[in-house]
Amino acid sequence: MMKKTVSGGLPGRKLLATAAVLAFSPASVMAQDELNALVWCDHTDPALVEPFEKANNVKVNLKEYEGTGAAISIIEQSRPGDWDVLVIDAVDVPRAIDMDILGEMPADKLPLGDLFPEVRMEETTTRDGKVYAVTEKFGYNTISYDKTKVDPADMEDLSVMWSDKYKGRIALYDYYLPMVGLTGVGIGKKTADLKQDDLPAIKEKLFEMKKVSRQVSDVVASQTALATGEVDIVVGGGEWLTAGLSAEKPNLDWTIPKQGALRWAQSIGVFKDSEKQDLALKFVQYIVSPEGQARLATSSCYWAMPSNAKAGEHLTDPQKTALRWDRQPEYLKNSQLYPVADADMDAAMQDVWTEMLQQ
């Protein structure tokens, strides 16, 4: 039976410094010199899109969505050719390929060799030797904290998630998939091997985490609580939660504990039915170029690591420090992908999370 791929992105990515979104109806746009892209919020930053528009005398119409299910719904309600470019969670690319909505991109026209090897993700972005998407950005679900309020050494062990030492000072990220995975990592499980038999032990730890936490909240509420001092730790956070605030809130930090963390990744591809294949590919090429990658990594909506290692040449030292650029080799080795579950396992994980919320 084909497995249901569970989206592993960042729901509720509209952070404190979010960008404005240009919503539009594909049917109303002009056919010439325009490109229609279905994207995550980090692509709506004018600092990212305007250089491409000016260089190519084109208007990029952006529609932001959250969650692969929402994107599929939009696509199903659209006409063939309405959309040109798709940003999608890397683990959901096979789902898009199965739906026959992504077109093949020429491998020799993409800087695949410049990507960090661990995030090329050929097992999801390619099929039968054909490239359908390319990883553009990645990050981690791990521990974010206020280093002036906690002992940073304590943050190097995932057991801090259920420690009484910081009782009432912890926010839990309200998204079951990375939190179940991260808790599993904390007790020595591999996310790729998680089964329903593992859930009772994970559930026990989740209940302990709930008891010592102050709140279980979405991205914005968790980030706000950390920034304002309501909590000192956000479990499930990462560079995407704190790096963008590093200039104004240098007390906020993040790390990957010794047991590891979860890694998410987002990809970009061209719609098979796009009538502007060349222009759409050119946009993808810009996004994964070193210059485009540096702008995407530091987008106003959320910061995260660029997949192109050459982007470092275009990032400032403070930006690289906030993203932990120099520690990526060890972080990549010590992180695991989100659990990819079939429908039964996904339902079981959601049930465990719901039980925890009700405690």
Side-chain angles (χ1 to χ4, degrees), residues 98-353:
D98 290 339
M99 293 177 63
D100 201 29
I101 60 176
L102 288 177
E104 179 186 358
M105 295 188 292
D108 61 350
K109 301 294 184 182
L110 298 167
L112 301 178
D114 295 334
L115 305 188
F116 288 98
E118 294 88 347
V119 299
R120 290 176 189 164
M121 300 181 68
E122 290 96 339
E123 69 279 6
T124 60
T125 59
T126 68
R127 182 173 294 178
D128 299 327
K130 299 178 180 180
V131 177
Y132 290 93
V134 57
T135 309
E136 58 169 17
K137 192 172 180 178
F138 68 96
Y140 306 94
N141 290 106
T142 180
I143 305 291
S144 291
Y145 58 94
D146 185 333
K147 60 187 177 185
T148 66
K149 301 284 190 63
V150 303
D151 183 349
D154 292 339
M155 305 301 111
E156 299 300 326
D157 194 314
L158 279 176
S159 65
V160 73
M161 298 190 296
W162 49 78
S163 170
D164 284 331
K165 182 174 181 178
Y166 297 104
K167 186 174 183 179
R169 299 161 62 187
I170 299 173
L172 304 179
Y173 175 30
D174 189 8
Y175 183 25
Y176 74 97
L177 195 58
M179 293 297 285
V180 168
L182 189 61
T183 305
V185 171
I187 59 174
K189 304 291 184 182
K190 297 289 187 183
T191 57
D193 301 328
L194 282 184
K195 297 179 175 59
Q196 291 198 42
D197 290 345
D198 298 314
L199 292 181
I202 291 174
K203 175 180 173 180
E204 179 181 344
K205 287 303 181 184
L206 285 172
F207 279 28
E208 291 180 26
M209 290 160 61
K210 180 65 163 24
K211 288 179 181 178
V212 300
S213 69
R214 175 187 173 91
Q215 64 190 63
V216 182
S217 47
D218 63 18
V219 172
V220 174
S222 297
Q223 187 191 49
T224 300
L226 186 63
T228 59
E230 295 176 50
V231 300
D232 301 327
I233 300 169
V234 176
V235 175
E239 76 297 311
W240 52 274
L241 194 77
T242 60
L245 300 175
S246 58
E248 58 198 80
K249 294 283 186 180
N251 54 309
L252 303 186
D253 211 342
W254 67 283
T255 191
I256 291 186
K258 62 184 181 182
Q259 295 94 334
L262 262 65
R263 184 173 77 247
W264 56 267
Q266 59 194 65
S267 299
I268 188 169
V270 174
F271 277 90
K272 182 179 180 180
D273 292 330
S274 170
E275 296 176 358
K276 303 170 184 175
Q277 293 286 325
D278 292 343
L279 186 59
L281 177 61
K282 200 169 187 179
F283 183 70
V284 171
Q285 290 171 324
Y286 163 69
I287 291 295
V288 296
S289 70
E291 297 86 354
Q293 286 279 281
R295 293 171 185 143
L296 181 63
T298 56
S299 165
S300 59
C301 189
Y302 62 94
W303 287 25
M305 276 294 296
S307 61
N308 190 328
K310 291 186 177 180
E313 301 167 9
H314 301 272
L315 292 169
T316 66
D317 287 342
Q319 288 171 337
K320 292 167 77 171
T321 297
L323 292 170
R324 295 288 189 278
W325 185 273
D326 293 338
R327 300 194 67 179
Q328 287 306 308
E330 63 182 279
Y331 281 4
L332 284 164
K333 290 179 182 177
N334 198 26
S335 58
Q336 302 178 41
L337 296 176
Y338 277 38
V340 178
D342 60 23
D344 291 340
M345 180 63 175
D346 184 45
M349 290 191 292
Q350 291 193 55
D351 287 345
V352 166
W353 188 250

